[in-house]
Amino acid sequence: MDPTLKEVAMSLTLRTADVALAERFDYWRSVVCDAFVPLRAEPGEGDFHGELSTVRLGAVQLSSVEANAHTVRRTPRTIASSDRDYFKIGLQVRGYCVLTQDGREAPLTPGDFAVYDTTRPYSLSFDDTYRQLVLMVPRARLRLKPEEVARITAVRVSGRHGIGALVSPLLLRLADHFDEYESPAGPRLADNIVDLLVTLISGQLELDSPNPDSGRRALLIRITSFIESHLGDPDLGPETIAAAHYISTRYLHKLFSQEGTTVSALIRERRLEHCRRDLRDPLQLTRPVSAIAARWGFVDAAHFSRVFRSAYGASPREYRFTSEPFEGGVTLSAD
């Protein structure tokens, strides 16, 4: 079996033409489950062929999928078998697709795209040869509430009008130059893509809801995405965040107070979570704890050790070198 795509930090292409005809669809099912999330796949008629290319840009994955007729389904059983929680954005390049989720159908023709959520059932049906780009973003990066997610899934967005006309060409250019993004600039590029998607989703939420509170929520989504993208900046704070969104620091604090937390608490929680993951990452075992802390904006090693122990019940070094689970976790209490 080839290395799973989720473990490869470079562009990679897999083709069914590389295996025997009788094994192609089983191989394809394995490929798409490894690349994305566990799925049920059902072949169409005739001989099957497929090709998948993928590249990792920081926490974001961009894939190009080319195949002939088949259907994939995310079912309650496949959801239960995996804790990989993502939003996926499917952009149709060639052919036709029907995305179904949350009681809606999004018929996608070339240039159209839609958002779907891997934590709930969905299906993608392709009735002929097609090419689709799939952008996979951790759900935590967009920080949407469940009720907001349910309003935007399987909603067709035209790639020919509005901000959709900016997103479609950008993703197409990325997909045509996979090998050019295997560099330290990849994570920064991913942050820019996520910011653009947050703007798109925020606008969609505002358009689709008569609720006067939707504008505030859309702004909060943009702000939390900005925070996530700038955690490594040790100077990240209320003044910087407010200025970037053309609001006063007083209004910024009010937004977070209405959510039952503070700006500083959110920044600390997200930084600690990234540090926790890096400390348990086998590929970063030789990286100094201080370097991991600095990567996520903790410039004072002693301060980092104190807040980490408070959150997870162990020092960073203890947490890194033990397999025992620890009590505790980050709490978004007000400062």
Side-chain angles (χ1 to χ4, degrees), residues 89-258:
I89 296 89
L91 169 65
Q92 201 69 16
V93 181
R94 292 195 305 270
Y96 179 79
C97 169
V98 176
L99 165 65
T100 303
Q101 188 169 52
D102 294 326
R104 289 185 292 270
E105 287 189 352
L108 304 180
T109 58
D112 299 337
F113 59 94
V115 176
Y116 48 114
D117 180 2
T118 66
T119 66
R120 295 197 310 286
Y122 65 81
S123 67
L124 291 160
S125 297
F126 307 95
D127 61 3
D128 206 341
T129 300
Y130 74 94
R131 182 187 182 202
Q132 187 178 82
L133 302 183
V134 181
L135 187 70
M136 195 158 71
V137 182
R139 294 176 87 249
R141 290 294 304 271
L142 300 188
R143 303 186 72 83
L144 293 168
K145 292 183 176 180
E147 60 269 24
E148 293 168 336
V149 175
R151 283 167 45 201
I152 62 172
T153 52
V155 173
R156 172 184 166 274
V157 179
S158 172
R160 292 169 286 279
H161 309 288
I163 196 169
L166 298 176
V167 174
S168 288
L170 172 62
L171 295 181
L172 284 170
R173 283 196 294 271
L174 287 174
D176 289 337
H177 301 280
F178 272 11
D179 57 343
E180 296 180 16
Y181 301 107
E182 297 171 22
S183 71
R188 180 170 296 181
L189 179 61
D191 290 339
N192 293 333
I193 294 171
V194 171
D195 288 343
L196 186 60
L197 289 171
V198 167
T199 301
L200 172 70
I201 292 170
S202 300
Q204 192 73 36
L205 288 171
E206 291 179 274
L207 288 172
D208 292 348
S209 176
N211 186 345
D213 192 47
S214 62
R216 183 188 69 83
R217 280 297 305 162
L219 174 59
L220 192 61
I221 292 168
R222 290 195 294 270
I223 289 171
T224 53
S225 178
F226 177 87
I227 290 171
E228 190 75 26
S229 299
H230 294 80
L231 291 174
D233 180 359
D235 296 324
L236 181 67
E239 293 78 11
T240 305
I241 297 166
H245 294 85
Y246 306 102
I247 60 176
S248 67
T249 54
R250 181 179 179 181
Y251 183 60
L252 177 69
H253 289 307
K254 181 180 178 180
L255 285 174
F256 279 81
S257 176
Q258 291 171 342

Side-chain angles (χ1 to χ4, degrees), residues 16 24-32 48 50-51 65 70:
T16 57
R24 285 183 180 177
F25 197 77
D26 286 339
Y27 176 72
W28 182 253
R29 183 184 293 112
S30 175
V31 164
V32 296
F48 182 81
E51 179 175 315
V65 186
H70 71 290

Side-chain angles (χ1 to χ4, degrees), residues 143 224 227 256 261-270 332:
R143 303 186 72 83
T224 53
I227 290 171
F256 279 81
T261 187
T262 68
V263 181
S264 298
L266 177 64
I267 293 172
R268 183 177 65 249
E269 181 260 338
R270 297 307 301 152
L332 289 180

Side-chain angles (χ1 to χ4, degrees), residues 21 25 28 38 50 61 69-70 165 177 187 208 232 238 240 259 292 298 310 319 321:
L21 182 61
F25 197 77
W28 182 253
Q61 177 176 294
H70 71 290
H177 301 280
D208 292 348
T240 305
E259 297 294 310
I292 289 176
F298 289 108
S310 176
Y319 189 90
F321 292 109

